[in-house]
Amino acid sequence: MNPLVGVMYHWLGGLASASFYVPFRGVKRWSWEIYWLTGGIFSWLFAPWFFASLQTNDLLGVLGHAPSTAFWWPIVFGLLWGFGGLGYGLTMRYLGLSLGMAVVLGLCTVFGTLIPPLFTGEFHEKLLATNSGRIVLAGIALTLVGIVIVAFAGAKKDALLTTEQKAEVVAEFDFRKGILVAIGAGIMSACFAFGLAAGEPIKALSAAAGTGPLWTGLPVLCLVMFGGLITNGLWCAFLIAKNRSAGQWAGRTTDGIRPPLLANFALSALAGVTWYFQFFFYTMGESQMGRLGFSSWTLHMASIIIFGTLWGFAFREWRDAGAKIKAIVWSGIGVLVLATVVIGYGNSLAVAA
């Protein structure tokens, strides 16, 4: 195990998560439910099973011998996480990359990192009773400080913009609606961490089957993401029936202008696979973190916000913000980078001990 290498994997996962929505921006003349479900089929179904089949031994045998609780609870938590994923996509529409990610992932960090050790009764033993645990806890606190700084900068930026300027960078900007959706998405998104924790026995079975330590978490991803597929699939099916938008897959639109089908399918598939890769790298990073592996969730969240904010600058969401506000957001990114290093160092001490 090498926690500092694990931090690098989590950075890659954060980059993938922060980048997944970028290809969707190129989709033309498709409704949200059409491109979201198209990308989701690649994200929640094709990619997990493909990569798990490729990188693990006896995938079906491992899942077939899993205890019922380890098999079904990841699916249930994945189903709940699916509500968070739906809200996450809507948050991007209403708040943009920078502010949306800060609010959603701040709440997700708190719940996803601290609830598992509290639930298992290991919070004091792993975080308070050892020097390494206290350092990791300090890193978690730093992460929250960084998130608050980035969110504060985002709120200050939005307060300065006119309605027209907000619509120019985020076409459907709606602060009140976006904040409400973001709060719900942040809480429900933390269920992914619970699903991974519930699937720990499957990781052990996969290791016993000869799978290398970097890949033992991939079978669990198949279950958690299948739960997400159920939630998202049902919601998108409802919207497709309501909006009568299914014909868009075949190029039919109400105004008769044909969408670029090949490009839309390709971009949606790219977005979906990119979304999956955040968890592909997450499981790799977690495998390197040792007994404080639950802190991986904080590393993941911090990395997403770092790269999500950078994408926000790339798409000029901060164009009309003043130098002072830009300095605030960059300081928040700096705090988040420092937090990932502190957490990695704390995990290194735990592994060495």
Side-chain angles (χ1 to χ4, degrees):
M1 296 180 187
N2 188 332
L4 297 181
V5 172
V7 170
M8 298 298 294
Y9 286 135
H10 285 305
W11 281 352
L12 290 173
L15 175 60
S17 178
S19 304
F20 93 95
Y21 206 78
V22 175
F24 280 144
R25 296 171 70 100
V27 174
K28 306 296 182 183
R29 312 193 67 76
W30 268 8
S31 301
W32 177 85
E33 63 270 18
I34 296 298
Y35 68 72
W36 187 257
L37 183 57
T38 303
I41 289 172
F42 283 89
S43 176
W44 309 310
L45 188 63
F46 292 163
W49 286 93
F50 175 77
F51 286 103
S53 300
L54 199 65
Q55 296 296 124
T56 67
N57 292 332
D58 193 20
L59 174 60
L60 295 180
V62 166
L63 293 176
H65 288 88
S68 59
T69 53
F71 184 90
W72 290 108
W73 274 115
I75 295 177
V76 171
F77 282 123
L79 191 149
L80 296 175
W81 163 73
F83 287 105
L86 282 172
Y88 189 74
L90 290 173
T91 300
M92 298 302 101
R93 292 170 61 188
Y94 297 139
L95 295 182
L97 281 165
S98 301
L99 181 57
M101 284 187 177
V103 177
V104 171
L105 301 182
L107 290 167
C108 192
T109 298
V110 175
F111 283 90
T113 303
L114 300 183
I115 293 299
L118 283 170
F119 181 78
T120 58
E122 298 176 310
F123 186 86
H124 181 272
E125 174 189 346
K126 289 188 173 181
L127 284 174
L128 298 180
T130 64
N131 187 44
S132 59
R134 289 189 289 270
I135 291 174
V136 167
L137 194 59
I140 295 171
L142 270 177
T143 301
L144 295 178
V145 170
I147 291 171
V148 169
I149 293 173
V150 172
F152 175 74
K156 296 286 285 184
K157 175 204 69 172
D158 293 328
L160 295 176
L161 302 181
T162 65
T163 302
E164 292 75 18
Q165 287 172 321
K166 292 173 183 176
E168 192 175 334
V169 292
V170 183
E172 300 178 65
F173 184 87
D174 188 320
F175 184 81
R176 180 175 298 179
K177 185 185 294 184
I179 288 294
L180 291 174
V181 172
I183 291 172
I187 295 172
M188 299 304 288
S189 292
C191 288
F192 200 100
F194 308 156
L196 295 178
E200 283 292 326
I202 294 176
K203 293 171 64 176
L205 288 172
S206 187
T211 300
L214 282 178
W215 318 114
T216 55
L218 296 184
V220 185
L221 288 184
C222 294
L223 301 179
V224 179
M225 302 195 84
F226 179 73
L229 173 62
I230 295 172
T231 305
N232 284 268
L234 289 174
W235 176 245
C236 287
F238 167 75
L239 291 179
I240 290 169
K242 176 184 177 183
N243 300 329
R244 299 180 179 179
S245 52
Q248 294 176 18
W249 274 313
R252 295 193 298 272
T253 57
T254 55
D255 57 11
I257 301 176
R258 186 176 176 84
L261 289 182
L262 181 60
N264 283 0
F265 277 111
L267 288 169
S268 297
L270 177 60
V273 174
T274 303
W275 172 259
Y276 165 76
F277 268 122
Q278 67 169 309
F279 299 116
F280 180 85
F281 287 115
Y282 178 91
T283 58
M284 294 173 66
E286 187 183 35
S287 73
Q288 300 297 303
M289 305 310 289
R291 66 186 187 87
L292 301 179
F294 57 85
S295 63
S296 289
W297 194 249
T298 299
L299 290 170
H300 186 59
M301 296 296 107
S303 300
I304 294 173
I305 297 174
I306 290 169
F307 290 107
T309 305
L310 294 178
W311 272 119
F313 275 100
F315 287 120
R316 306 181 72 189
E317 291 182 6
W318 298 87
R319 177 187 58 191
D320 296 308
K324 184 177 179 180
I325 294 176
K326 291 178 182 177
I328 293 174
V329 74
W330 281 114
S331 67
I333 292 175
V335 170
L336 289 170
V337 172
L338 175 62
T340 64
V341 175
V342 170
I343 293 172
Y345 175 67
N347 277 274
S348 296
L349 292 180
V351 169

